[in-house]
Amino acid sequence: MTFALAVALAGCASLEEREIPIEQRIAAALPAVTVQAQGETAPVGTTNADAADDPAIWRNPANPAASLIVGTDKKAGLYVYGLNGQVRDFRDAGRVNNVDLKDGVTIAGAPAIVVAASDRNDRARAKIALFRLDPITAKLTPLGEVDGGSGEAYGICLSKFGGGLHAFVVLKDGTINQVSLDLSGATPTGRTVRTMKLNTQAEGCAVDDRSGRLYVAEEDVGLWRFDAAPGGSTTPVKIAAADGKAIVADAEGVAIAPIGEKAGYVLVSSQGDNAYTVYRLADESYVGRFRIVAGPFGATEETDGVDLALGDFGPGYPGGLFVVQDGDNEGKAQNFKLVAWDEIKAALNLRD
């Protein structure tokens, strides 16, 4: 059997899996421990639609409780939320799908927080929409757009590995363009330094800047790793399959929990059974799975994007913050749920 045929058959199997009732998918998957959300954001403005998609977390080191969350409404633009879930800002940016941010970036000679969103307003030509996030006012200021390549923009993640700022733009067809960003001038510019490829639809991605590893979720296939260095190999290494056990298709959002110099975890949204799967970064071994079940702020279903940031986020999240998109917000427009990393660690019996 050829590799292309194998991929095609895997895709067909995943389509069949999605016709299986959710109760059967959950029963067939590996067991998952449970946690509860400790907070949630206000719903996005687009109602009666699959609209909220991907979050990015900024931690305020001086005042952790004043940290911020940037989230996409993929039909309308970008929201900025406080940890209390209230809207601090909204930027009408049209169809922006995924979002990431980096602190300590130099913009026109001054340190700043840069926010990058995958702009799919033109489905034939991907763009990277760039913004500056003001940590005091929580306002987003547009910086401009950079070309992301031919095709529909889907996922995006930022990296400072090896110096400079790079954006990895995941196109809907599985193409991944690595774009070197230059924010030193009046308007941003970018240069595609290399292209990688997965065979089918992909979206979620995250970079471990310590090791220079890029993790990408191919929705019907599983989780992959690439070398994130501009001159590195473009050959992917498969970490885990969307086999209906550890990951139930779709494989969606990806997040990194870096601990120390080399340790930590990579998390992926197992959308097909409303769960989240955890692997060790050191040896890429399977750790376990968890679900966010009904509590004061409701359960999560059909999660697309996720983000995780370790460190103190105030009394509710002293060890870190996990934020996920909720695809079924109990009759309201979609939103994002907030979970304490300490609770996830305890449920999975993780030892740093």
Side-chain angles (χ1 to χ4, degrees):
M1 182 184 295
T2 67
F3 178 73
L5 179 57
V7 169
L9 291 175
C12 290
S14 296
L15 290 173
E16 292 173 359
E17 286 174 4
R18 285 194 283 271
E19 299 301 320
I20 299 172
I22 182 64
E23 295 82 6
Q24 293 183 31
R25 280 178 269 157
I26 291 173
L30 292 174
V33 298
T34 61
V35 299
Q36 294 183 353
Q38 295 188 20
E40 67 179 342
T41 69
V44 298
T46 301
T47 59
N48 301 316
D50 179 21
D53 196 89
D54 190 44
I57 302 167
W58 175 73
R59 178 178 174 273
N60 186 330
N63 182 8
S67 299
L68 300 170
I69 300 164
V70 181
T72 59
D73 178 335
K74 61 188 176 185
K75 311 291 186 182
L78 288 167
Y79 284 89
V80 181
Y81 303 97
L83 295 189
N84 62 0
Q86 297 305 302
V87 175
R88 299 285 306 277
D89 191 28
F90 173 73
R91 173 61 59 175
D92 182 356
R95 297 173 63 86
V96 287
N97 201 60
N98 278 195
V99 65
D100 199 9
L101 61 80
K102 283 290 182 184
D103 201 349
V105 175
T106 300
I107 299 178
I113 306 162
V114 64
V115 174
S118 54
D119 186 328
R120 60 195 291 205
N121 286 294
D122 180 354
R123 293 196 175 189
R125 196 76 195 178
K127 295 290 191 301
I128 304 168
L130 295 164
F131 306 83
R132 182 200 306 265
L133 174 62
D134 187 312
I136 305 300
T137 66
K139 302 299 183 185
L140 289 168
T141 301
L143 298 172
E145 292 186 336
V146 170
D147 184 68
S150 178
E152 184 176 354
Y154 229 47
I156 194 166
C157 48
L158 297 175
S159 172
K160 294 195 288 185
F161 174 73
L165 182 65
H166 289 250
F168 292 89
V169 184
V170 182
L171 306 182
K172 192 173 184 178
D173 69 355
T175 300
I176 305 158
N177 290 326
Q178 183 172 357
V179 180
S180 175
L181 298 173
D182 185 348
L183 306 181
S184 61
T187 58
T189 60
R191 176 176 60 91
T192 299
V193 295
R194 64 174 182 152
T195 296
M196 296 156 278
K197 187 72 173 72
L198 295 172
N199 284 282
T200 61
Q201 185 167 308
E203 183 175 2
C205 68
V207 180
D208 183 351
D209 280 342
R210 304 167 307 166
S211 63
R213 289 181 170 182
L214 165 69
Y215 297 88
V216 184
E218 187 176 7
E219 294 188 0
D220 288 345
V221 180
L223 183 64
W224 298 87
R225 166 173 53 83
F226 288 91
D227 188 338
S233 170
T234 59
T235 301
V237 176
K238 196 169 189 178
I239 295 174
D243 58 1
K245 299 294 185 181
I247 300 175
V248 181
D250 294 342
E252 289 283 350
V254 180
I256 300 289
I259 300 171
E261 294 184 358
K262 296 181 179 179
Y265 306 94
V266 55
L267 290 73
V268 58
S269 170
S270 174
Q271 189 187 75
D273 73 324
N274 301 333
Y276 310 90
T277 310
V278 184
Y279 299 89
R280 287 185 179 85
L281 288 171
D283 59 6
E284 296 168 349
S285 60
Y286 171 78
V287 172
R289 291 157 35 86
F290 65 95
R291 288 191 180 88
I292 302 169
V293 297
F297 297 97
T300 61
E301 293 85 21
E302 299 182 352
T303 292
D304 284 317
V306 303
D307 197 19
L308 172 62
L310 304 188
D312 181 14
F313 280 84
Y317 314 94
L321 175 64
F322 185 56
V323 179
V324 306
Q325 181 257 7
D326 183 7
D328 183 8
N329 187 28
E330 300 179 339
K332 303 175 185 177
Q334 295 177 345
N335 73 344
F336 301 91
K337 298 293 195 288
L338 285 64
V339 183
W341 173 241
D342 285 346
E343 184 172 350
I344 296 169
K345 285 176 57 182
L348 289 170
N349 196 28
L350 300 182
R351 297 289 182 266
D352 294 350

